[in-house]
Amino acid sequence: MRLYSLASLMMLCLSLTACANKFYIPIWNRKGDAKPLSKTDDIIRVVVPDRIKKYVAKARSNDPDWLAKGSKLAFYIGMAKIYSEKRLQALGYQLTDTGLDGGDSGQPKKIDWIDSQGNERQAMTHGGKPTVFALVDSRLVNTYTQRFISNEPYSSDPSTGATTMWTSHVDEVAMNRIVYGIKLVRPIGKDNPLYQCNNSSLSINFCTFPDRFWKDISNYKTIFYGVGTMTTNARDPDYIENHLVSSVLYQYPNLLGKKRVIQISQPFFEVTKVTDIPK
C-alpha cells in the first residue's frame, strides 16, 4: 500500500516529454435554456463524477498498472475541478467548497490564480450553500504512438566542415487525446441528489455527482455546456487541464458554437486567436 495520498501527488508537477509553444484546441460550447448565471445572486459548487473514487482506489492499490489506470485518470478529473474553479473565479463568479479540501464546509476560502500576464491574483470565495453546480469531467479518450522523422548530418568534409552524408533520425512519441467537459446546471427540486456532497477520502474530499447525471438531464436545467479536446505528448495533467479549461471558458458566456482556440503556452497561457471550425 502506498503511503502517500493522491492529494499530495496532485501537488507535483510531472516532467514533460515535450512542451509545445502553441496548441490548437477544438471546443464546442452551447447555451442551455435555464436562467443565466448571475455574478451577484448565484453561488457555484464545482463537483466531479463519482467515478473518481474508482481511480483513487486503484492508485492506492499495489496493482502494477496503478499509475496509468488509477492516479493519472484521477489527476485529469482533479485538475479539471481546480482549474474550473480558478477560471470561474477569474471571470467574477462566486464559488463555495473550493480547492483540494473542498468538502461541504460552506466556509469562505482564499483562492488564487495566475492571469495571462503572469500576475498573481487572489480573492475570497463566497461560502454558503450553492445555487448552481458545475459538473466537470475529464477523460483520456485515446493513446497512440506518433513517429517524427528528421534528417541529421552523418559525416562532413574535414577541410571545409560541409556535410557530405545525411541520415534519418526517428523519434517515437506517445500522444494522448484528453477531453474536458463542463455543465453549469440548476437543480430541480429541494431534495435533488446534487445537493448531497457525497465526499470521502476516496474522492479526495471532493464533492461528487452520480455519473449518470452527465447524460440524464431530468434532475436539472442546463445553463451552459462546454467541451474541449487536446492532443499532446505532455504528461502533466495540471498543464493539460489548464489549457483545456481556459479554452472552454474563454470569454464565457460569449464564445458559443464550434470553435478552434489557439493558445500560446509559454511563458504564460494566453489565447491568441479563435476561429470557427470548418463544417
Side-chain angles (χ1 to χ4, degrees):
M1 182 66 67
R2 290 169 179 78
L3 298 180
Y4 45 79
S5 69
L6 190 60
S8 299
L9 280 172
M10 281 187 174
M11 303 305 293
L12 299 177
C13 180
L14 304 180
S15 61
L16 305 180
T17 55
C19 189
N21 185 54
K22 185 178 290 188
F23 284 95
Y24 303 85
I25 301 179
I27 64 171
W28 181 60
N29 292 344
R30 64 173 179 169
K31 184 169 60 174
D33 55 5
K35 177 184 175 182
L37 192 60
S38 170
K39 292 184 179 181
T40 56
D41 299 332
D42 283 321
I43 303 173
I44 307 169
R45 175 192 285 166
V46 179
V47 292
V48 301
D50 201 61
R51 188 180 78 255
I52 193 174
K53 297 176 182 177
K54 176 179 69 175
Y55 299 149
V56 174
K58 184 76 168 180
R60 293 174 179 173
S61 71
N62 290 318
D63 296 341
D65 58 354
W66 69 272
L67 178 62
K69 295 185 178 180
S71 66
K72 184 61 70 71
L73 300 180
F75 282 171
Y76 289 127
I77 296 174
M79 291 297 101
K81 174 191 185 292
I82 298 301
Y83 280 108
S84 296
E85 291 171 344
K86 291 184 177 183
R87 178 59 55 177
L88 289 168
Q89 180 75 56
L91 288 167
Y93 295 100
Q94 302 184 84
L95 288 93
T96 188
D97 305 322
T98 60
L100 289 173
D101 57 346
D104 187 20
S105 67
Q107 298 298 314
K109 288 189 284 186
K110 184 178 75 173
I111 189 170
D112 57 81
W113 67 95
I114 304 295
D115 65 22
S116 61
Q117 303 303 313
N119 301 311
E120 183 175 338
R121 299 175 59 190
Q122 295 181 340
M124 292 298 294
T125 63
H126 184 280
K129 296 300 182 181
T131 60
V132 168
F133 290 81
L135 282 59
V136 301
D137 197 1
S138 188
R139 297 171 181 261
L140 174 65
V141 295
N142 189 25
T143 297
Y144 62 93
T145 300
Q146 185 168 340
R147 303 182 74 197
F148 295 92
I149 302 176
S150 59
N151 290 325
E152 295 184 352
Y154 179 70
S155 63
S156 60
D157 187 324
S159 60
T160 64
T163 300
T164 57
M165 295 182 65
W166 296 78
T167 186
S168 294
H169 179 76
V170 179
D171 287 307
E172 291 193 347
V173 178
M175 304 293 291
N176 294 318
R177 185 167 181 260
I178 300 97
V179 61
Y180 160 81
I182 181 171
K183 279 188 174 184
L184 294 171
V185 305
R186 295 187 183 277
I188 299 173
K190 294 182 179 180
D191 297 326
N192 194 294
L194 280 175
Y195 289 116
Q196 301 173 13
C197 180
N198 291 323
N199 61 313
S200 69
S201 64
L202 279 179
S203 69
I204 328 172
N205 207 34
F206 293 165
C207 295
T208 66
F209 66 88
D211 292 69
R212 62 183 175 86
F213 273 31
W214 191 260
K215 293 183 177 180
D216 180 3
I217 61 174
S218 62
N219 288 278
Y220 56 79
K221 288 186 177 295
T222 302
I223 303 170
F224 171 81
Y225 176 38
V227 175
T229 60
M230 180 177 178
T231 301
T232 177
N233 66 329
R235 294 181 294 172
D236 185 1
D238 179 292
Y239 183 85
I240 293 167
E241 296 299 332
N242 199 344
H243 275 291
L244 286 169
V245 175
S246 60
S247 291
V248 172
L249 293 179
Y250 180 64
Q251 292 188 349
Y252 173 85
N254 300 322
L255 197 63
L256 300 175
K258 295 182 179 181
K259 306 288 183 181
R260 188 175 73 160
V261 179
I262 303 171
Q263 285 199 53
I264 298 294
S265 62
Q266 299 169 349
F268 302 105
F269 299 115
E270 182 181 356
V271 174
T272 61
K273 189 175 181 182
V274 178
T275 63
D276 289 331
I277 297 177
K279 295 182 180 180

